[in-house]
Amino acid sequence: MSSLISCVSWVRRGVALQQPLKYNLDEKELERISTLARIELEDARVELERASEAAKSMGQTMENDDDDDEKPDDDAAVDAEDRMDEDPPPGGERDMNDLSAYKLEEYDNEPADTAAGPFSNIKGLTFYKSNEEDPYITLKDVRDDAEEREELQILPADNLLVTAKTEDEISQLEIYVYDETQESLYVHHDIMLPSFPLCLEWLDFHPAGPASAVSNASASGNYIAVGTMEPEIEIWSLDTLEAIYPTSVLGRPDLSKSHTPVPLGTGKKKRKKTKSRTVSSAHHVDAVLDLAWNKTHRNLLASASADTTVKLWDLSRSPIEGQGESEGALRSFQVHKGKVQSVQWNDKEPTVLLTGSYDRTVRTFDSRAPEKGLVAILGADVETLRWDPWESHSFYVSLENGLVLNYDARTLPSDSSTIARPLFTLAAHDGATPALDINPHIRGCLVTGGTDKLVKVWNVLGGNNEKQEVTLVTSRDLGIGRIFSAVWSPDDLLTVAAGGSKAKLQIWDVAANAGVRKTFAGKLSGTSLTWKERSNGGIISVVSDNEDESDEED
C-alpha cells in the first residue's frame, strides 16, 4: 500500500491542554482494558471457529487433504537422507538405551543450598516505582522532566492539526502543532491505529464510557473520532500521550464479525466470494466512510457507512454497558441504495442531515422525520458534501468526475422522478474532486482539491436570489501528490491545510498572494484585519532531515 494522508482536521486555538497528560495504566484503566480485552478475546475465539467452518464449507479442507495424499512427504525424505549422511560416533555404534553419560544416579546428591540461578536472590531486592522514590539515587531527573514538559507544552496561540496517515502499511494519527506567528509546524505525538483510516471528525464532547473521570458533561474536551475500514468508530483523546486504547468505541465488534469470511457457495469458482452482511439498526457492519459531529446538540455524532446506512450515536451513553442488540446507535437511517460516502449536519438547522451516496443521489432530511426527505439526482458518484455556513438552505457537492455543484435545498423534489437543477456547476478539476471546504470567515470563498494534484481557491459572487458568478482566484501544486483533503483554518482567514498521496502535510497561507488579497479586499472592507507577509509563497511545511527532495511524481 502506498503512503498517503487520507484526511486532515484542524483543532482551534485554546482548546488543547497546555500540558498534555501522560497515559496512566492505573487500576481503573486496567479494569476498562480488561473489559475490552475480554470481549475481544471471546470474539477472536468465535471468529476462529467461524473461519474454520467457512473454510470447510468452501471446500478448502477437502482440497488440502487431496494435496496431502498426492504429494510425497518431502520433510520425511530429507530427514532420512540426513540420517544416512551422519557419521557414526567414534568407537562404533552407540547404544541408544545407554543413559550413563547423564549420571542420573548422582542426581539426588547435589547440595540442597546450591543457588538456583542468577535470580536466586531476587527476593531480597526492592523495586521502586520511580527514581524519585529510590533513596540510593541522589541525582534526580528534574532537568530532564522540565525539558520534556517544555517540549510537550502547547501554547494558547497554537493550533493542532490531526492527519490520518498510512505509511509502509502502518496507519496512525499524527498530531501536529502549528504556530502561526513563528511559521512553525512539527509533529507533537502520534496514535497507532488498527486499520486504514478513512475519515476524521473533531469534537469537544466527553464521550461516556466505563470508569469515566468526567463529571461535568458540559465542559469542553479535545477528542478526535476516527472512521476506518472496520465497522467500529474509535474516539481518541488528543490531550493524552502514548494512549494504548481509545477513550470510546462505537459499534459492536462482537456482532459485526468484520474479520469472519461468510461463504457464498462451494467449488473453486465461488471460493473467494462472500455474502454481504445483514444490515443492523444498532451498529455498522462495514467500513465507516464519513463522520459529522453536531455542534448544537453536542452529544450527537452521525456516521455514514459502506453498509448503505447512516447511524446517529448518543455519546452520553456508555458503549460498554448494555451489550444487547437493542443498545448501540440511537437511530439508523437507510435512505440510500448504495454506499453512503458523506454526511453533514446543518449548523443553522441542527436537526437536518445531508447525505451523499454511490447511488448518485444526495438527500437532505430532518433526523426526526427521515421519510419526508428531499433528493437530488447526480451524474457521478459523490466525493464530499458541505453545507454553506453563510446560507442555511445552500449546499455544495463534489463529484468523481471533477464537477462541483451548488444546490438550493428548498428547490429539491421529494421523489427521484423529478430532476433538480443546481444553481451553478463548476468544472473544478481534471479527475475526481475529493477535497471541498467553505471558508467560515469570508463569504463565498471555496477551496477544492483534486487528483490532478492542484489546490484551487474560488470566489463566488451573488446569492440571495441573485445570479451567482464563480471565478478562480488562485491555483497551486503543493507538492503533496493527489489531493485527498483540504480544510480551511478555524482561526486564520485564508489558511488551508492539505494532505495527499505523498503522505505530507502542507499549510498554505493563500493571503501571501497579492492577487488573492486584492480579490477579497472588498469582502473584508470595514474590518481591522491586516495581512502578514510570508516567505516561500505562504507555504509552511514540516522540515525533515531525511526528506528526499528527489521523490518521483505519482
Side-chain angles (χ1 to χ4, degrees), residues 4-11 160-166 171-176 185 187 189-191 193 197 199-200 224 226 238 485 497-500 503-507 542:
L4 59 90
I5 289 178
S6 54
C7 43
V8 179
S9 179
W10 285 87
V11 180
L160 292 186
L161 288 111
V162 186
T163 65
K165 183 177 181 179
T166 300
S171 296
Q172 61 185 347
L173 299 180
E174 284 190 341
I175 294 86
Y176 294 77
L185 179 67
V187 178
H189 65 283
D190 54 33
I191 299 172
L193 296 177
C199 56
L200 298 174
I224 194 76
V226 186
L238 297 178
S485 182
K504 296 179 182 179
L505 174 68
Q506 294 277 42
I507 293 180
V542 177

XYZ file of all heavy atoms in Angstrom, residues 4-11 160-166 171-176 185 187 189-191 193 197 199-200 224 226 238 485 497-500 503-507 542:
328
model
N 0.186 7.743 2.175
C -0.753 8.823 1.895
C -1.320 9.392 3.182
O -1.250 8.772 4.250
C -1.891 8.345 0.987
C -2.767 7.184 1.476
C -3.969 7.676 2.270
C -3.250 6.338 0.312
N -1.877 10.592 3.069
C -2.705 11.204 4.109
C -4.120 11.255 3.558
O -4.380 11.944 2.563
C -2.200 12.602 4.487
C -0.878 12.500 5.263
C -3.239 13.343 5.323
C -0.280 13.838 5.647
N -5.018 10.515 4.178
C -6.377 10.405 3.654
C -7.282 11.540 4.109
O -8.243 11.871 3.411
C -6.991 9.063 4.061
O -6.917 8.877 5.456
N -7.009 12.157 5.262
C -7.854 13.260 5.733
C -7.097 14.095 6.765
O -6.169 13.615 7.420
C -9.183 12.757 6.293
S -9.047 11.310 7.339
N -7.536 15.359 6.887
C -6.912 16.333 7.785
C -8.011 17.016 8.582
O -9.101 17.290 8.055
C -6.103 17.383 6.996
C -5.471 18.404 7.938
C -5.043 16.713 6.137
N -7.718 17.308 9.855
C -8.685 18.007 10.708
C -7.961 19.037 11.565
O -6.901 18.753 12.131
C -9.430 17.009 11.609
O -10.352 17.673 12.451
N -8.523 20.248 11.648
C -7.976 21.311 12.482
C -8.543 21.221 13.901
O -9.651 20.747 14.101
C -8.345 22.679 11.932
C -7.606 23.142 10.720
C -7.923 22.896 9.414
C -6.432 23.966 10.686
N -7.029 23.507 8.576
C -6.105 24.171 9.326
C -5.633 24.551 11.668
C -5.008 24.939 8.935
C -4.539 25.315 11.271
C -4.229 25.502 9.925
N -7.777 21.746 14.859
C -8.257 21.979 16.225
C -7.993 23.441 16.529
O -6.843 23.905 16.447
C -7.540 21.085 17.249
C -8.067 21.371 18.652
C -7.729 19.619 16.905
N -3.701 22.844 16.678
C -3.379 21.443 16.447
C -3.964 21.033 15.098
O -5.039 21.504 14.712
C -3.945 20.539 17.540
C -3.366 20.652 18.951
C -3.955 19.560 19.840
C -1.853 20.574 18.942
N -3.249 20.163 14.400
C -3.763 19.537 13.192
C -3.614 18.036 13.339
O -2.574 17.547 13.785
C -3.021 20.008 11.945
C -3.302 21.436 11.502
C -2.084 22.302 11.727
C -3.710 21.472 10.041
N -4.653 17.301 12.965
C -4.647 15.854 13.046
C -4.728 15.301 11.627
O -5.602 15.691 10.853
C -5.835 15.329 13.880
C -5.734 13.818 14.069
C -5.890 16.025 15.237
N -3.808 14.417 11.294
C -3.817 13.782 9.982
C -3.977 12.273 10.145
O -3.426 11.678 11.075
C -2.515 14.063 9.210
O -1.404 13.461 9.888
C -2.285 15.551 9.078
N -4.733 11.676 9.252
C -4.862 10.219 9.180
C -3.861 9.742 8.142
O -4.073 9.897 6.945
C -6.282 9.824 8.805
N -2.766 9.164 8.614
C -1.640 8.853 7.752
C -1.396 7.356 7.692
O -1.454 6.664 8.709
C -0.379 9.560 8.270
C 0.856 9.373 7.408
C 2.017 10.171 7.973
C 3.269 10.043 7.135
N 4.391 10.839 7.694
N -1.118 6.868 6.498
C -0.732 5.475 6.292
C 0.588 5.465 5.531
O 0.711 6.073 4.467
C -1.795 4.704 5.505
O -3.023 4.731 6.230
C -1.369 3.268 5.298
N -0.863 2.416 9.805
C -1.788 3.542 9.893
C -1.688 4.181 11.279
O -1.592 3.481 12.286
C -3.222 3.080 9.637
O -3.365 2.594 8.311
N -1.744 5.497 11.292
C -1.645 6.216 12.554
C -2.250 7.604 12.415
O -2.438 8.115 11.304
C -0.185 6.331 12.990
C 0.681 7.091 12.001
C 2.141 7.106 12.374
O 2.521 6.766 13.481
N 2.996 7.490 11.438
N -2.542 8.203 13.573
C -2.898 9.608 13.640
C -1.647 10.387 14.018
O -0.967 10.040 14.992
C -3.983 9.860 14.690
C -5.328 9.172 14.499
C -6.256 9.539 15.645
C -5.962 9.529 13.171
N -1.326 11.401 13.245
C -0.227 12.291 13.596
C -0.799 13.625 14.024
O -1.579 14.240 13.288
C 0.734 12.469 12.416
C 1.635 11.273 12.182
C 2.737 11.553 11.181
O 2.604 12.519 10.403
O 3.725 10.792 11.173
N -0.420 14.072 15.230
C -0.915 15.327 15.781
C 0.194 16.362 15.671
O 1.270 16.206 16.261
C -1.383 15.152 17.251
C -2.604 14.234 17.295
C -1.743 16.494 17.851
C -2.305 12.766 17.359
N -0.061 17.408 14.887
C 0.906 18.467 14.642
C 0.567 19.697 15.487
O -0.599 19.940 15.821
C 0.895 18.887 13.174
C 1.370 17.840 12.196
C 0.554 16.771 11.831
C 2.627 17.930 11.615
C 0.993 15.815 10.924
C 3.071 16.982 10.695
C 2.246 15.932 10.360
O 2.676 14.986 9.459
N 5.772 24.333 12.144
C 4.903 23.161 12.065
C 5.738 21.928 12.392
O 6.762 21.679 11.753
C 4.290 23.029 10.666
C 3.367 21.830 10.420
C 2.087 21.949 11.243
C 3.029 21.702 8.933
N 5.537 17.676 14.349
C 4.739 16.583 14.904
C 4.900 16.563 16.417
O 6.026 16.494 16.929
C 5.165 15.230 14.303
C 4.357 14.100 14.923
C 4.984 15.230 12.790
N 2.849 14.383 18.689
C 2.798 12.970 19.067
C 1.935 12.230 18.051
O 1.364 12.837 17.138
C 2.258 12.774 20.498
C 0.824 13.193 20.691
N 0.430 14.509 20.813
C -0.321 12.458 20.763
C -0.871 14.578 20.980
N -1.363 13.347 20.943
N 1.877 10.923 18.173
C 1.081 10.128 17.239
C 0.325 9.043 17.982
O 0.601 8.752 19.152
C 1.940 9.524 16.124
C 3.116 8.724 16.673
O 2.981 8.120 17.749
O 4.176 8.706 16.026
N -0.659 8.471 17.304
C -1.511 7.417 17.858
C -1.619 6.318 16.812
O -2.018 6.576 15.671
C -2.922 7.952 18.213
C -2.827 9.056 19.263
C -3.814 6.823 18.704
C -4.153 9.761 19.521
N -3.142 3.186 14.834
C -4.494 2.752 14.502
C -4.470 1.301 14.033
O -3.505 0.869 13.393
C -5.094 3.635 13.412
C -5.321 5.104 13.760
C -5.843 5.863 12.550
C -6.278 5.256 14.935
N -7.396 4.397 8.031
C -8.359 5.452 8.374
C -8.963 6.095 7.138
O -8.276 6.353 6.147
C -7.503 6.447 9.162
C -6.118 6.269 8.608
C -6.000 4.824 8.190
N -11.777 8.678 7.617
C -12.363 9.986 7.928
C -12.029 10.373 9.365
O -11.770 9.515 10.214
C -13.876 9.977 7.712
S -14.744 8.695 8.639
N -12.038 11.692 9.613
C -11.794 12.253 10.940
C -12.866 13.283 11.249
O -13.369 13.963 10.359
C -10.421 12.938 11.000
C -9.173 12.085 10.767
C -7.938 12.982 10.734
C -9.028 11.037 11.852
N -10.887 13.275 18.947
C -10.983 13.043 17.515
C -11.666 11.701 17.285
O -11.288 10.690 17.880
C -9.588 13.080 16.838
C -9.727 13.186 15.317
C -8.735 11.920 17.254
C -10.096 14.554 14.832
N -12.604 8.682 14.682
C -11.929 8.104 13.523
C -12.798 7.009 12.920
O -13.225 6.088 13.632
C -10.547 7.522 13.911
C -9.800 7.060 12.663
C -9.729 8.530 14.686
N -7.095 13.784 22.384
C -5.897 14.433 21.859
C -5.045 15.041 22.963
O -3.944 15.539 22.691
C -6.290 15.515 20.849
C -7.014 15.011 19.595
C -7.394 16.179 18.703
C -6.163 14.013 18.833
N -7.502 15.805 0.876
C -8.160 16.616 1.904
C -7.585 18.022 1.885
O -6.360 18.195 1.794
C -7.967 15.994 3.294
O -8.626 16.742 4.299
N -5.011 23.807 5.165
C -4.175 22.633 5.417
C -4.596 21.545 4.439
O -5.792 21.276 4.274
C -4.325 22.150 6.851
N -3.608 20.920 3.805
C -3.911 19.919 2.777
C -3.006 18.709 2.939
O -1.853 18.821 3.368
C -3.752 20.520 1.379
N -3.548 17.543 2.583
C -2.800 16.294 2.591
C -3.123 15.491 1.356
O -4.205 15.633 0.770
N -2.181 14.635 0.951
C -2.394 13.892 -0.274
C -1.631 12.594 -0.344
O -1.251 12.009 0.677
N 1.848 11.524 1.466
C 1.900 11.429 2.935
C 2.570 12.646 3.563
O 3.263 12.537 4.571
C 2.598 10.140 3.369
N 2.363 13.835 2.961
C 2.913 15.075 3.502
C 1.781 16.039 3.822
O 0.788 16.122 3.090
C 3.870 15.726 2.494
C 5.109 14.913 2.181
C 5.967 15.647 1.163
C 7.203 14.841 0.789
N 8.038 15.540 -0.220
N 1.957 16.780 4.917
C 1.021 17.833 5.294
C 1.627 19.178 4.923
O 2.777 19.459 5.255
C 0.737 17.781 6.797
C -0.120 18.917 7.357
C -1.553 18.838 6.832
C -0.114 18.899 8.880
N 0.842 19.989 4.221
C 1.273 21.334 3.862
C 0.233 22.335 4.326
O -0.978 22.093 4.212
C 1.453 21.475 2.343
C 2.563 20.646 1.737
C 3.927 21.298 1.855
O 4.251 21.854 2.900
N 4.721 21.219 0.801
N 0.717 23.461 4.842
C -0.147 24.584 5.194
C 0.136 25.709 4.213
O 1.302 26.071 3.972
C 0.087 25.040 6.647
C -0.364 23.947 7.610
C -0.641 26.339 6.932
C -0.167 24.292 9.075
N 6.613 20.757 7.347
C 7.481 20.151 8.348
C 8.863 19.982 7.750
O 9.019 19.417 6.659
C 6.925 18.791 8.814
C 7.876 18.140 9.809
C 5.550 18.971 9.430
